[in-house]
């Protein structure tokens, strides 16, 4: 990609934080918004732990609670629970399924760490995905029920216990679960008691088909840059768990739609013309849950997690493993909660001394977390430990 002019537009880190906080709905929650709108704006909500997704969404939609989010997912079905970026569990807007499946199914696969004799061949992968699609078309099945049907639709090789799991070995076919979701054959259904179920996304959006790969990928880049820009192809690749070279070529193919800016002496990309700083004050204090997409998707890490924040809130460079305290869009501590019935004990460990104004905002955030999770919160201010020192 080439620059349109010698002098690049410059954005300060504070400018970048304002833009992102505003576009994520973290500056001011949407008054008349819906959970699906908030999820679309942040390009999905990580939902490996559903309560964390409920908090992520609730913080961005005024008055929303976990019941609001669950109604959107299981009642009106405007959200769908499926495998999203990085092959991890996400909530996505149902109406965006064509774009997401079209884009994710076109991302080159990561290197398979399985031994060669344990992998699925491309032909076997296609067989498994076809069997899943046929089996789930009109059903909601547990993992064991689905496994039995996949074996019938493919062959005994599909259930060979070759995939290392938490307490044993999973059957061979499970290597293709996230691919089945990316190709539009599988999503999560409502729990059956304590058991997770799987079903067809056609039951959420009848008749849908994955969008054409080129259109879907271009659309995903535009959405990503709107929510997380300025960003580089490498940042986009990390967010998707995709090859960096592939992401660079994708950005190059969209050169006519993108523009470079300078942030803290480094170059990054935004959509053409989207170079203005948001005319907003910085938003103060926010509490973000595990794997909130603001934390996971925003870069550069050294600016988002400055100094001690990186040592305390990044796990081997990976964001999202700790709920974080944001101050003016930058990580400034961690927090955690313990629930007993309706009681929520919330402990916040700031890395700096809070001003009286920040402490009042923190009290408001704790109350909001309690509203979202439909509990009675109690705040404790803890002392964060970094590298063995308080």
């Amino acid at each position: 990609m080439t620059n349109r002019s010698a002098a690049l537009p410059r954005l300060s880190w504070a400018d970048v934080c304002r833009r992102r906080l505003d576009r994520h709905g973290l500056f001011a929650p949407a008054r008349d918004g819906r959970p699906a709108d908030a999820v679309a704006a942040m390009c999905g909500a990580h939902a490996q732990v559903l309560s964390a997704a409920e908090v992520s969404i609730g913080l961005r939609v005024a008055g929303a609670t976990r019941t609001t989010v669950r109604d959107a997912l299981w009642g009106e079905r405007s959200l769908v629970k499926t495998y999203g970026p990085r092959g991890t569990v996400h909530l996505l807007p149902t109406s965006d399924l064509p774009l997401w499946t079209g884009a994710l199914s076109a991302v080159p696969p990561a290197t398979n760490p399985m031994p060669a004799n344990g992998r699925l061949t491309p032909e076997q992968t296609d067989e498994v995905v076809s069997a899943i699609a046929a089996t789930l078309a009109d059903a909601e099945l547990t993992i064991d029920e689905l496994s039995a049907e996949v074996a019938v639709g493919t062959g005994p090789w599909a259930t060979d216990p070759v995939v290392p799991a938490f307490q044993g070995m999973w059957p061979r076919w499970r290597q293709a679960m996230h691919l089945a979701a990316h190709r539009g054959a599988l999503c999560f259904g409502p729990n059956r008691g304590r058991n997770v179920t799987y079903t067809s996304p056609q039951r959420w959006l009848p008749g849908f088909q994955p969008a054409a790969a080129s259109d879907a990928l271009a659309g995903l880049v535009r959405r990503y840059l709107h929510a997380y820009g300025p960003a580089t192809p490498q940042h986009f690749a990390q967010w998707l768990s995709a090859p960096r070279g592939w992401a660079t070529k994708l950005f190059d193919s969209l050169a006519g739609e993108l523009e470079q800016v300078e942030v803290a002496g480094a170059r990054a990309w935004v959509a053409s013309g989207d170079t203005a700083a948001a005319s907003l004050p910085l938003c103060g204090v926010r509490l973000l849950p595990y794997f909130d997409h603001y934390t996971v998707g925003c870069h550069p890490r050294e600016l988002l997690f400055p100094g001690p924040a990186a040592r305390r809130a990044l796990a081997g460079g990976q964001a999202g493993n700790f709920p974080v305290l944001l101050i003016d869009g930058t990580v400034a501590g961690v927090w955690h909660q313990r629930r007993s019935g309706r009681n929520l004990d919330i402990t916040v460990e700031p890395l700096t001394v809070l001003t009286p104004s920040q402490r009042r905002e923190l009290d408001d955030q704790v109350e909001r977390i309690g509203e979202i999770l439909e509990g009675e919160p109690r705040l404790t201010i803890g002392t964060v430990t970094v590298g063995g020192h308080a």
Side-chain angles (χ1 to χ4, degrees):
M1 273 172 276
T2 58
N3 299 331
R4 289 191 170 86
S5 63
L8 297 178
R10 293 184 178 181
L11 293 171
S12 69
W13 176 241
D15 291 332
V16 171
C17 289
R18 289 187 186 96
R19 286 163 52 102
R20 292 172 176 170
L21 290 165
D22 183 39
R23 295 174 185 195
H24 272 249
L26 291 171
F27 178 79
R31 289 290 173 190
D32 300 314
R34 304 178 307 139
D37 299 327
V39 173
M42 61 174 157
C43 297
H46 192 282
Q48 194 75 38
V49 179
L50 186 58
S51 61
E54 292 164 355
V55 173
S56 281
I57 297 166
L59 289 171
R60 292 162 166 86
V61 180
T65 67
R66 64 179 182 176
T67 297
T68 310
V69 177
R70 292 174 185 180
D71 286 346
L73 177 58
W74 306 123
E76 67 183 42
R77 296 190 173 184
S78 57
L79 292 175
V80 60
K81 183 179 177 184
T82 188
Y83 292 97
R86 305 176 302 283
T88 54
V89 180
H90 277 66
L91 301 184
L92 301 173
T94 302
S95 60
D96 287 345
L97 269 174
L99 180 141
W100 278 103
T101 52
L104 292 175
S105 61
V107 175
T111 302
N112 191 333
M114 290 282 296
N117 61 0
R119 299 174 192 167
L120 288 169
T121 67
E123 294 76 19
Q124 288 174 330
T125 299
D126 292 342
E127 280 191 62
V128 168
V129 172
S130 294
I132 290 172
T135 297
L136 294 179
D138 294 301
E140 293 173 359
L141 301 180
T142 66
I143 191 64
D144 291 338
E145 292 167 344
L146 180 56
S147 189
E149 293 297 328
V150 168
V152 170
T154 56
W157 54 264
T159 54
D160 290 342
V162 297
V163 181
F166 301 109
Q167 296 179 336
M169 303 294 279
W170 283 342
R172 187 188 306 268
W173 74 267
R174 288 189 63 170
Q175 297 172 67
M177 279 193 75
H178 71 285
L179 294 175
H182 290 174
R183 296 182 189 181
L186 172 148
C187 69
F188 287 78
N191 283 6
R192 189 192 303 166
R194 294 185 177 182
N195 292 319
V196 172
T197 73
Y198 302 90
T199 191
S200 170
Q202 296 284 346
R203 303 178 75 195
W204 260 249
L205 190 64
F208 102 91
Q209 294 292 327
S214 58
D215 293 339
L217 287 169
L220 191 58
V221 169
R222 287 191 289 267
R223 292 184 183 211
Y224 174 81
L225 289 178
H226 185 266
Y228 300 99
T232 67
Q234 291 71 38
H235 298 154
F236 181 74
Q238 184 172 345
W239 177 68
L240 276 184
S241 190
R244 290 188 170 195
W246 171 86
T248 298
K249 291 178 181 177
L250 176 59
F251 272 54
D252 284 343
S253 73
L254 299 170
E257 301 182 35
L258 307 182
E259 180 176 354
Q260 283 188 331
V261 297
E262 183 179 309
V263 179
R267 294 182 177 186
W269 280 260
V270 295
S272 293
D274 187 20
T275 60
S279 58
L280 298 166
L282 283 169
C283 79
V285 173
R286 297 291 184 270
L287 294 176
L288 302 185
Y290 288 106
F291 289 100
D292 187 272
H293 265 211
Y294 181 91
T295 311
V296 172
C298 290
H299 290 269
R301 290 279 194 258
E302 64 271 18
L303 296 181
L304 182 62
F305 294 83
R311 297 193 294 274
R312 181 63 181 89
L314 285 177
Q318 180 176 330
N321 288 290
F322 297 92
V324 299
L325 166 70
L326 283 189
I327 296 180
D328 293 339
T330 298
V331 175
V334 297
W335 66 282
H336 53 89
Q337 63 164 313
R338 179 175 297 172
R339 183 164 195 146
S340 177
R342 283 188 56 82
N343 295 322
L344 285 172
D345 288 315
I346 295 176
T347 301
V348 179
E349 301 174 357
L351 286 161
T352 59
V353 176
L354 301 178
T355 67
S357 173
Q358 289 168 343
R359 177 54 198 267
R360 288 192 295 272
E361 288 183 276
L362 178 59
D363 288 338
D364 291 342
Q365 279 286 285
V366 168
E367 286 300 314
R368 182 67 190 117
I369 298 291
E371 291 171 358
I372 294 167
L373 294 178
E374 298 171 346
E376 301 294 336
R378 180 176 60 185
L379 171 63
T380 300
I381 301 293
T383 302
V384 74
T385 299
V386 179
H389 300 284

